[in-house]
Amino acid sequence: MNQFSSVETRLAQAVATAPSVRRLDEQNFERWDAFVAACPSATFFHRAGWKRVIEKAFGHRCHFLYAEQDGEITGILPLGEIRSRIFGHSLVSLPFCVYGGIAALNDAAHAALDQEAQRLAATLGVGHLEYRNLTREHPDWSCKDLYVTFRKAISEDNVANMNAIPRKQRAMVRKGIKAGLTGEIDSDSKRFFHAYATSVRNLGTPVFSRRYFDLLRAEFGTDCEILTIVKDNQVIASVLSFYFRDEVLPYYGGGTAAARAVAGNDFMYWDLLRRAAERGYRVFDFGRSKRDTGAFDFKKNWGFEPQPLYYETQLHRAREVPEHNPLNPKYQRFIRVWRRMPLPVANRLGPFIVRNLG
């Protein structure tokens, strides 16, 4: 074999083994989720079911991309496209989710997915492309220093778990225990939605529709569970959690007006942690919070240390990174008005607003 044919052979082999990028279809959902289960950098929010949920609940188009080499999936990138007259046009991995971005087994798959996402963003004419990463990947992109996550290992021994809670917070948990609070696993979203909707209205935040939560439960089955805290048959608080590998992720929750007097929210998270430990889960993911907020302080009080989230943005047609969050001063008047809104009205209007925020 001469020098030129040897070079041609190597080029042909490189082309043959280079990853191809494809769009996820229904026939490949199981392959996608098998990859998610095995890939160390994948999260619950990389699961294929989010495509169906986002499209059905909000009507947004999703572009779930996967890299394939030699017939095997080697990387994935779930993307959701939001087109709003008020909040702009964006391509995000992944809207309504804490984590996202590229999960890949090698650099070639990562690069192929990254290039295709940027090409897609340009083709769609979006204002910006956003990855919600746990690590910094694009130093040249804009990156928000706004969000953190809180993750902590939990023990199989619940005495040790209780003792690991700082003293003042532990006293709040014991207050809930002394008040006679108990936890119940719900088979539907009725009680949860009441507690959640009341809580977010009081914070001045638009509510998701109950249909969205029902879709989550239908899509993820036993990996999506509702725990409701009661006292004398009265709903005190409720939380919807996701389960993934050895992790429990309380994701949506809230308390009623009666919760504060009996430390209902404090007891709720303890009861969730206790149950998860008994079932063999070893990581408690307290989720995303904005820096210097009440939720941020609450989670630190449990002894969790904040870990930065890297929400990286590549601008396309937009001139600046959008700031669609409650800390933006221009939304303060809206928040004050929303807090005073009757709950039935807030529950009716909220889903039309929040569906475009992502």
Side-chain angles (χ1 to χ4, degrees):
M1 182 180 295
N2 62 40
Q3 179 180 357
F4 293 106
S5 61
S6 177
V7 170
E8 290 174 353
T9 299
R10 289 198 298 271
L11 287 173
Q13 290 173 342
V15 170
T17 59
S20 57
V21 177
R22 307 181 188 281
R23 297 285 188 95
L24 177 65
D25 55 26
E26 291 283 338
Q27 288 72 34
N28 284 290
F29 268 45
E30 288 188 9
R31 291 182 66 217
W32 176 292
D33 278 341
F35 175 85
V36 170
C39 179
S41 60
T43 71
F44 181 86
F45 303 101
H46 285 88
R47 289 182 58 172
W50 283 101
K51 183 177 188 296
R52 279 193 288 246
V53 169
I54 291 172
E55 290 176 343
K56 289 180 181 179
F58 308 112
H60 299 312
R61 186 164 52 154
C62 288
H63 310 267
F64 276 38
L65 309 176
Y66 66 92
E68 190 174 53
Q69 292 173 272
D70 300 325
E72 298 292 332
I73 294 178
T74 53
I76 60 170
L77 174 58
L79 292 160
E81 180 186 357
I82 297 180
R83 187 189 296 268
S84 168
R85 292 182 179 180
I86 299 174
F87 300 110
H89 188 192
S90 61
L91 190 63
V92 180
S93 181
L94 190 63
F96 312 103
C97 297
V98 172
Y99 312 132
I102 298 169
L105 298 180
N106 56 56
D107 291 342
H110 191 287
L113 289 164
D114 199 11
Q115 290 169 10
E116 177 60 19
Q118 294 181 45
R119 185 202 65 79
L120 179 62
T123 300
L124 295 172
V126 300
H128 69 276
L129 168 66
E130 179 181 302
Y131 295 159
R132 297 181 173 179
N133 299 324
L134 283 163
T135 58
R136 192 81 159 101
E137 297 186 1
H138 287 284
D140 56 326
W141 290 17
S142 297
C143 186
K144 295 179 183 177
D145 184 29
L146 177 62
Y147 296 110
V148 298
T149 190
F150 293 84
R151 293 166 54 84
K152 187 177 182 181
I154 55 178
S155 170
E156 62 182 7
D157 179 1
N158 272 321
V159 174
N161 288 325
M162 176 66 83
N163 290 335
I165 303 172
R167 181 176 57 82
K168 289 185 178 179
Q169 185 60 48
R170 190 164 63 243
M172 296 299 291
V173 172
R174 295 194 186 283
K175 179 179 178 180
I177 295 172
K178 291 178 181 178
L181 302 183
T182 58
E184 300 174 353
I185 303 300
D186 282 357
S187 59
D188 62 45
S189 63
K190 182 178 180 180
R191 298 196 299 181
F192 160 78
F193 187 74
H194 169 67
Y196 159 79
T198 300
S199 182
V200 298
R201 189 281 311 271
N202 292 342
L203 292 171
T205 303
V207 68
F208 286 105
S209 68
R210 184 178 170 187
R211 178 173 178 267
Y212 168 56
F213 299 112
D214 289 338
L215 285 168
L216 287 172
R217 286 170 51 78
E219 181 64 42
F220 297 118
T222 56
D223 292 336
C224 177
E225 185 179 83
I226 291 174
L227 171 67
T228 296
I229 306 304
V230 299
K231 176 178 170 60
D232 301 327
N233 295 320
Q234 178 187 9
V235 174
I236 302 298
S238 190
V239 60
L240 181 150
S241 302
F242 299 130
Y243 292 86
F244 180 70
R245 295 178 183 151
D246 65 343
E247 303 176 11
V248 57
L249 301 86
Y251 203 62
Y252 296 107
T256 65
R260 177 171 293 185
V262 292
N265 287 313
D266 307 88
F267 176 84
M268 176 175 70
Y269 290 115
W270 161 249
D271 200 41
L272 177 66
L273 189 155
R274 176 189 64 79
R275 290 167 180 265
E278 290 174 354
R279 289 162 58 180
Y281 292 91
R282 294 294 169 258
V283 177
F284 194 89
D285 187 328
F286 228 151
R288 182 182 81 179
S289 291
K290 291 177 282 293
R291 295 182 184 275
D292 303 320
T293 62
F296 177 95
D297 293 338
F298 179 77
K299 293 170 185 179
K300 284 203 70 176
N301 289 343
W302 278 79
F304 287 66
E305 287 300 318
Q307 303 172 32
L309 288 173
Y310 300 94
Y311 284 18
E312 298 180 331
T313 302
Q314 183 188 52
L315 297 179
H316 283 259
R317 292 193 174 184
R319 295 184 177 180
E320 59 184 10
V321 178
E323 293 292 342
H324 303 316
N325 69 79
L327 298 184
N328 189 329
K330 74 177 185 180
Y331 294 129
Q332 294 309 303
R333 183 174 181 274
F334 171 87
I335 291 171
R336 290 193 296 269
V337 171
W338 200 268
R339 284 172 172 165
R340 296 195 297 269
M341 191 175 294
L343 188 60
V345 177
N347 288 350
R348 182 175 293 273
L349 295 179
F352 294 101
I353 299 172
V354 75
R355 67 179 295 273
N356 290 316
L357 289 174

